[in-house]
Amino acid sequence: HESAHAWMAENRGDPTGRLMGRISMNPLRHADLVGSFLVPMIGVFTGAPVFGWAKPVPVNSSYLRDFRRDQLFIAAAGPVSNLMAAAGFLLVYKALIFSGFILEMLPGIIAAPLILLCQVGVLLNIILAVFNLIPVPPLDGSWVLIGLLPPNLAVYVDKIRPYGFGILILLLMTGGIGYL
C-alpha cells in the first residue's frame, strides 16, 4: 500500500519516496513505531479495536506538475494496490479450489493453510481498500475527495484535516465507521 503511494509519486514527478527507500515491499521500510507496533499492542491487551498504520510516504508537492490531479493519483494508488492484491489472492484461491490436480499434489497440511491465507488475503485487502477510501483525513479518501471536488469545496475538506485523526478515532470507538 505505502510502496504504491511512493511508486505513484515517483511516476508523477516526486522522487522523495524513492530517495527514502520507500518503493519497497520490505514491511520494515514502512513500519512506524507507534502505528505499527504500540497502538496495535494496546488494542490487543486492552480489548480495544486493534488497528494501526504504516509510516506515511512523504510527498513534496513542489515536484508535482498538477497538484490536485497528481495527489488524487498518489492517494488512490494505495487502495488500488490493495484491490490488486485481493485479486491476486482470489486468483490463487480459485486455482487451488478449482484445480483438483493442484490439491491432489499438495497434502492437506499445506493446502488448508494456503487456502486460508488466500481467503484472509482477499478479505483483508478489500477491507483495507474500502477503509482507506473513507473521506476522513488522514485517510487516502480525503485526498481523493479533494482531487475530485471543485477547489471551492475542496477547501472545506482540507479544513478538517487537523481534526481528522480525532474524528477517525471517534468513528472507530463508537462503531460509526461501520455506517461509512
Side-chain angles (χ1 to χ4, degrees):
H1 181 104
E2 292 303 321
S3 182
H5 289 308
W7 178 85
M8 184 58 74
E10 170 83 11
N11 184 267
R12 306 311 292 179
D14 179 11
T16 308
R18 177 181 49 80
L19 294 173
M20 295 178 74
R22 301 297 299 283
I23 300 178
S24 171
M25 297 298 280
N26 179 353
L28 295 177
R29 291 250 181 220
H30 306 285
D32 178 81
L33 180 61
V34 173
S36 302
F37 302 105
L38 185 60
V39 170
M41 294 308 290
I42 289 171
V44 166
F45 290 118
T46 65
V50 177
F51 71 98
W53 59 87
K55 191 173 9 176
V57 170
V59 175
N60 184 337
S61 61
S62 66
Y63 287 110
L64 305 179
R65 301 178 240 356
D66 178 343
F67 175 75
R68 287 172 41 79
R69 184 195 65 211
D70 293 344
Q71 189 61 51
L72 183 149
F73 282 119
I74 293 166
V80 167
S81 74
N82 288 119
L83 293 175
M84 290 170 60
F89 278 113
L90 184 61
L91 287 172
V92 173
Y93 173 79
K94 293 291 186 181
L96 287 169
I97 294 300
F98 293 116
S99 173
F101 176 74
I102 292 174
L103 287 178
E104 285 176 18
M105 295 197 53
L106 293 174
I109 197 164
I110 296 172
L114 196 53
I115 289 170
L116 181 61
L117 174 71
C118 289
Q119 291 171 330
V120 171
V122 169
L123 183 63
L124 183 61
N125 277 287
I126 289 173
I127 288 170
L128 286 171
V130 170
F131 177 77
N132 274 287
L133 284 173
I134 294 171
V136 174
L139 299 177
D140 299 329
S142 66
W143 289 107
V144 171
L145 184 60
I146 285 171
L148 293 173
L149 287 173
N152 62 326
L153 295 177
V155 167
Y156 293 107
V157 176
D158 204 42
K159 284 185 178 186
I160 67 167
R161 193 161 302 285
Y163 313 104
F165 194 72
I167 293 168
L168 191 57
I169 296 295
L170 185 66
L171 288 170
L172 285 167
M173 299 304 279
T174 63
I177 206 85
Y179 294 105
L180 295 175

